[in-house]
Amino acid sequence: SLQGKTALVTGSTSGIGLGLAASLAAAGARVILNGFGDVEQAREQIARLGAQPGYHGADLSDPEQIADMMRYAEREFGGVDILVNNAGIQHVAPVDQFPVDKWNAIIAINLSSVFHTSRLALPGMRQRNWGRIINLASVHGLVASKDKSAYVAAKHGVVGLTKTLALETARTPITCNAICPGWVLTPLVQQQIDQRIAAGVEPLQARNDLLAEKQPSQEFVTPQQLGELALFLCSEAAVQVRGAAWNMDGGWLAQ
Ligand code: NAD
């Protein structure tokens, strides 16, 4: 049970982050949500599973707002025991047509924010002598796909940062690992299906094509399945899992 632990899940108003927050809340953790969009709906969903969650609306592209979120966690919850770095965005275009502002935003939100939350969470974890840092990377942290230069670069960066954090905490009860999902049907992926539909492909065909290109199971990974993996990484049995990049991808990386 995660009773008495506080979990901060970035980007947890939607998709995978909301699923991970639900799993952690159901296991007894106090949860702090972050992200945009339908915040109330996310809050209500988590409150039904456990305690009333906290919320901070930091824009993770801004280090100042991240620092403010970490101060809020310290002040209201006594610090972060489980840090889930999940917030992320995507943009799909070839390098020579890739908008520079999209590159900068993806590197800031998908990679640099992980550095900032981690550097600010670690002192408290060391003080309390327990911690879990779980980074939602991607199969794109280990292999590439065309037209995803910023995302692939950021996710490879997250896997590298995960390993460094694992080494720096290796002699402590703090662990740091990355989870590398294949396709999960969230708004981030629906957007890519919609691009195919806009290009004239039938909706069901667009969804099946996306799966068939990369994911041998031809089924989506679910946020609930990823939540179970996160719970395992939080458990005492996982204390020697350090610096892993753990894929859950319907066979994507087996090819
Ligand atoms: P999503 O779009 O459903 O959710 C993204 C979340 O991040 C939302 O809560 C959103 O409000 C928040 N967010 C976006 N920009 C933010 C910002 N600047 N500051 C704070 N919060 C911000 O996406 P998802 O598919 O659930 O993705 C979650 C993570 O999982 C991402 O890091 C993504 O790269 C990764 N991932 C997703 C898939 C997939 O197939 N969906 C696969 C592998 C990895």
Side-chain angles (χ1 to χ4, degrees):
S1 153
L2 298 176
Q3 216 77 44
K5 306 286 194 229
T6 298
L8 168 63
V9 185
T10 67
S12 46
T13 50
S14 160
I16 296 170
L18 183 55
L20 295 177
S23 296
L24 291 162
R30 295 197 300 170
V31 170
I32 302 172
L33 301 172
N34 158 257
F36 312 137
D38 201 342
V39 176
E40 267 324 298
Q41 193 257 319
R43 270 177 179 257
E44 280 164 25
Q45 185 175 328
I46 299 304
R48 278 195 296 275
L49 296 165
Q52 189 64 38
Y55 171 78
H56 195 284
D59 179 336
L60 297 193
S61 65
D62 178 358
E64 275 307 315
Q65 294 186 39
I66 294 174
D68 196 56
M69 175 173 72
M70 302 311 283
R71 281 192 293 268
Y72 161 83
E74 191 70 45
R75 194 174 65 238
E76 304 288 327
F77 291 82
V80 175
D81 303 302
I82 300 165
L83 172 62
V84 182
N85 289 304
N86 166 82
I89 59 168
Q90 175 63 288
H91 187 81
V92 180
V95 169
D96 48 353
Q97 289 160 35
F98 210 90
V100 171
D101 62 331
K102 289 286 184 200
W103 170 276
N104 289 337
I106 289 175
I107 297 301
I109 295 164
N110 295 20
L111 175 58
S112 299
S113 78
V114 181
F115 162 69
H116 292 296
T117 54
S118 300
R119 76 185 171 80
L120 295 168
L122 269 172
M125 289 179 179
R126 289 192 194 278
Q127 220 165 47
R128 292 184 296 278
N129 207 35
W130 196 89
R132 294 289 186 268
I133 300 177
I134 300 173
N135 297 326
L136 260 289
S138 165
V139 287
H140 287 120
L142 299 165
V143 296
S145 293
K146 67 183 173 69
D147 300 341
K148 297 186 174 176
S149 53
Y151 189 86
V152 168
K155 295 299 187 180
H156 276 66
V158 168
V159 169
L161 176 56
T162 300
K163 293 175 184 174
T164 298
L165 282 165
L167 293 179
E168 292 182 9
T169 53
R171 298 289 296 271
T172 74
I174 302 163
T175 72
C176 178
N177 292 287
I179 296 178
C180 299
W183 292 125
V184 186
L185 190 55
T186 67
L188 183 142
V189 166
Q190 188 60 48
Q191 209 180 18
Q192 296 173 57
I193 296 173
D194 291 345
Q195 276 186 9
R196 290 166 189 251
I197 295 170
V201 184
E202 288 294 312
L204 187 62
Q205 190 66 41
R207 179 182 187 273
N208 291 344
D209 287 352
L210 179 109
L211 282 170
E213 281 165 20
K214 298 284 184 181
Q215 197 144 304
S217 68
Q218 301 209 27
E219 286 178 19
F220 289 103
V221 178
T222 69
Q224 293 72 27
Q225 291 161 349
L226 293 166
E228 291 294 322
L229 177 53
L231 288 184
F232 171 66
L233 291 175
C234 289
S235 73
E236 291 315 310
V239 75
Q240 292 310 328
V241 182
R242 291 170 185 262
W246 195 319
N247 51 309
M248 185 184 275
D249 62 2
W252 185 319
L253 292 177
Q255 299 168 99

